[in-house]
Amino acid sequence: MAFQNSPLLMNVGLVVSVLPIGLGSLALFNPHYMFTKMFEFPLPASKADQAVALNNMRSFGIRDIFMGGACLGAWYKGDKEFLGYLLLLGAGAATVDGFAQKGAVGHGQWTKHWMFVPLMAGLGAALMGLI
C-alpha cells in the first residue's frame, strides 16, 4: 500500500517521539512541578516520603526520555517496523500510566495519558503494516 510506504508516517513518528523526551526532561529536572502540577498528585507530608515521591518522578522522567530516544533511533535508522513496534509499546505505557493517574487522583487519565493511545497505536500499527 502507498500509505504504508509514505515518508509522512515516519515523520509523524519523529514528532510523536519528541513529546516523551520533553515531558521526561521536565520530570527529570523539575520533578516537583510534574508531580504536583502536571499530574496533580498530592505531595506526601513527610520529607522522607516527599524524597521518595520526587525521585520516583525522576525515574518516570528517564523512562520517558529512553522511550522517546529509542523511537528517535529507529526513525534515524529508517526502521519503520521497529519504530512502529516501539510506538505500540509506548501506547501500552500510556495506557498503564492513565490507570495510575486515575487511581492516584481520580481524574486526568484522558487528557494526560489516554488521548495519546489511539495516535500511538494507530501510527505504530500503520508503520508495522498491520493496517
Side-chain angles (χ1 to χ4, degrees):
M1 278 181 139
F3 175 70
Q4 292 169 345
N5 293 323
S6 170
L8 180 62
L9 286 177
M10 287 291 285
N11 290 330
V12 172
L14 168 65
V15 172
V16 171
S17 301
V18 173
L19 182 63
I21 292 172
L23 290 172
S25 296
L26 189 56
L28 184 63
F29 295 112
N30 194 349
H32 187 273
Y33 174 81
M34 286 294 284
F35 196 84
T36 61
K37 302 292 187 217
M38 184 69 111
F39 293 122
E40 304 176 59
F41 293 156
L43 197 60
S46 78
K47 291 289 183 189
D49 290 343
Q50 287 179 16
V52 170
L54 296 177
N55 280 308
N56 279 338
M57 185 55 61
R58 286 185 180 100
S59 295
F60 173 83
I62 200 65
R63 178 202 72 166
D64 276 5
I65 293 169
F66 172 81
M67 289 188 327
C71 289
L72 285 179
W75 173 84
Y76 181 75
K77 288 294 191 179
D79 191 334
K80 69 178 189 171
E81 287 185 33
F82 191 55
L83 177 57
Y85 179 73
L86 291 171
L87 288 169
L88 285 175
L89 290 174
T95 300
V96 172
D97 289 348
F99 283 111
Q101 175 81 33
K102 183 168 175 42
V105 295
H107 65 276
Q109 69 275 12
W110 285 104
T111 57
K112 295 178 171 126
H113 304 284
W114 292 346
M115 67 184 253
F116 300 106
V117 172
L119 171 65
M120 294 172 73
L123 181 59
L127 285 165
M128 294 179 71
L130 301 175
I131 58 173

